[in-house]
Structure formats: C-alpha cells, structure tokens
C-alpha cells in the first residue's frame, strides 16, 4: 500500500507511522529521516539541503521531492510505503503525483489524523522534558511525575521546551491550517482521504487506522 499520513502537530503522527509501517510491512519514510540520511551520506540533494539549512532558509520543494522520489524507488518500497511529513503543501502533493506517475504507481490512501485544536495544545504545552535526558518525557496531566518538576527516572529537573509553549504551538497549528490542510481537499477530490480520530490510546488509534485502510 502507498499511504500518505497527514495530521496536525501533536496528533501522534510519528508514533502511528511507525506502528502502521510495521503492521503493513512497508517502510516508514519521514522527511526528517530523509534529510538526515541524505546529509550524512553527502548526496547531491543532501548537500543542497544543507546549504539552505545552514543559511537558515527553507529547503526548496524540489530538493525535498527529489529525496522522497529516490527513497520511494528503493527496493524495499516496491510494494508500498508510508509517507510522514511529506507532502506538506499542495505544490508538493502535485509534484508527488507527477513523480508517482513516472514510476507508473498510485497512492492507495491518505490517512488524516484528526485531533481537536484544544487537545493538540493541551498535549504539547503540557509536556515536560528532563534536562538530563530528552527521552524522559512527562506530562502535567497525562503522565505526572511523582514529585512536581522532578524526573521519576533520574531525578533530573523537568522543563518545558520553547517549541512546546502554547504560543509556539498555536503558530505551528496556523501554519498547518494554511499550508498543509489544503492537501486534504486536494486528495479528497481523488477519493483517497480516510479521516480517523487520533484521540485515545496509541493502539486504539492504530486499530482504527488499520480498519480505515481495510486491513
Ligand atoms: Zn530524567
């Protein structure tokens, strides 16, 4: 199956992508990983991407699309893939269609993870991270540490990342609404969109997604 995963920040996209890719035996292709891999391997596209990133500029769509196309043409992606974080705007979605067409394949589904905006803000703005290890993650409501502001695992100090502050989260949501959400309309015209609620436990959302995909 060839799947695109979309959803606002805080919808648990990365987590769902990993589970779904495993269940469906297809590679999970995330833009973050693509960038890291191309830059560390020193590919032409990686060098280009790095020059923009070093200059504090956005990486142009054609560079991102090139990386995604190279990855989708790897042997392990012959029977499908799950795209996470790409396309992130309509022009990338159009370019993806062109790229798939040249390989004579089509998308099977666009899985849209839906979360109410206030829930997104609550999820992200409530996160507290340990200063000793960013893998020690707590939440003021959903995963409270035993002692306020102290990591259960190592006793480190818990803090809120700047990226997680409510104001920043609202800005990221705004970008999602204006840039990424229009691709849902674009794919709806192609009859590909399956919208599911991303509320509840991780395994419940995965089960809902598998059902929506007819698996
Ligand atoms: Zn800790």
């Amino acid at each position: 199956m060839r799947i695109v995963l979309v959803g606002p920040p805080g919808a648990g996209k990365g987590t769902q992508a990993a589970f779904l890719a495993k269940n469906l035996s297809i590679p999970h292709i995330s833009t973050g990983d693509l960038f890291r891999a191309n830059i560390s391997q020193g590919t032409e596209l990686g060098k280009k991407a790095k020059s923009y990133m070093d200059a504090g500029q956005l990486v142009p769509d054609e560079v991102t699309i090139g990386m995604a196309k190279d990855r989708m043409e790897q042997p392990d992606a012959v029977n499908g893939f799950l795209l996470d974080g790409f396309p992130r705007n309509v022009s990338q979605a159009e370019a993806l269609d062109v790229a798939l067409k040249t390989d004579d394949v089509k998308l099977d589904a666009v899985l849209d993870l839906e979360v109410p905006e206030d829930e997104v803000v609550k999820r992200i703005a409530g996160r507290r991270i340990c200063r000793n290890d960013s893998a020690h993650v707590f939440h003021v409501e959903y995963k409270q540490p035993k002692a306020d502001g102290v990591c259960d695992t190592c006793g480190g100090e818990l803090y809120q990342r700047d990226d997680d502050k409510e104001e920043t989260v609202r800005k990221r949501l705004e970008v999602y609404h204006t840039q990424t959400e229009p691709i849902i309309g674009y794919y709806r015209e192609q009859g590909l969109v399956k919208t599911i609620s991303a509320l509840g436990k991780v395994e419940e959302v995965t089960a809902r997604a598998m059902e929506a995909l007819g698996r």
Side-chain angles (χ1 to χ4, degrees):
M1 281 195 108
R2 295 179 182 84
I3 306 166
V4 168
L5 192 62
V6 289
K13 240 172 353 114
T15 308
Q16 285 308 323
F19 279 108
L20 290 169
K22 192 164 169 265
N23 284 357
L24 297 162
S25 307
I26 50 176
H28 168 200
I29 303 180
S30 85
T31 30
D33 291 344
L34 279 181
F35 278 68
R36 273 187 292 277
N38 277 275
I39 290 170
S40 75
Q41 290 160 17
T43 67
E44 282 311 308
L45 289 167
K47 283 180 201 159
K48 259 189 204 165
K50 192 169 183 298
S51 69
Y52 286 98
M53 287 156 88
D54 287 347
Q57 288 169 342
L58 280 178
V59 176
D61 283 351
E62 63 265 27
V63 175
T64 310
I65 291 154
M67 288 181 188
K69 191 169 189 299
D70 284 350
R71 181 64 190 85
M72 290 185 294
E73 288 170 353
Q74 297 295 308
D76 66 336
V78 165
N79 293 317
F81 48 75
L82 192 152
L83 295 178
D84 163 21
F86 172 86
R88 62 187 320 147
N89 57 48
V90 171
S91 72
Q92 287 189 355
E94 287 167 349
L96 175 62
D97 275 351
V98 173
L100 292 172
K101 212 170 194 173
T102 60
D103 291 339
D104 208 20
V105 293
K106 274 183 181 161
L107 289 176
D108 295 294
V110 173
L111 195 63
D112 166 31
L113 298 182
E114 204 171 53
V115 198
E117 183 144 337
D118 286 341
E119 177 63 24
V120 167
V121 174
K122 220 158 118 185
R123 281 185 184 187
I124 301 180
R127 261 187 221 153
R128 296 296 180 270
I129 316 285
C130 174
R131 287 210 189 269
N132 294 337
D133 188 336
S134 60
H136 302 164
V137 183
F138 296 83
H139 194 281
V140 293
E141 200 169 322
Y142 305 132
K143 197 189 170 200
Q144 295 175 347
K146 291 195 186 80
D148 242 10
V150 181
C151 174
D152 285 359
T153 312
C154 73
E157 185 199 349
L158 299 180
Y159 76 108
Q160 183 184 40
R161 286 189 301 213
D162 285 342
D163 265 4
D164 293 345
K165 299 223 158 94
E166 176 164 348
E167 199 191 305
T168 316
V169 178
R170 299 252 180 225
K171 267 187 210 143
R172 283 163 64 197
L173 279 167
E174 187 58 36
V175 171
Y176 177 76
H177 288 316
T178 55
Q179 314 244 323
T180 306
E181 224 167 40
I183 72 173
I184 296 170
Y186 173 83
Y187 285 128
R188 194 165 276 136
E189 280 174 26
Q190 300 182 20
L192 291 173
V193 178
K194 317 258 183 219
T195 300
I196 63 159
S197 163
L199 294 179
K201 295 198 182 102
V202 169
E203 56 271 27
E204 289 168 355
V205 180
T206 309
R208 236 174 259 150
M210 292 296 284
E211 202 190 328
L213 295 170
R215 293 301 171 105

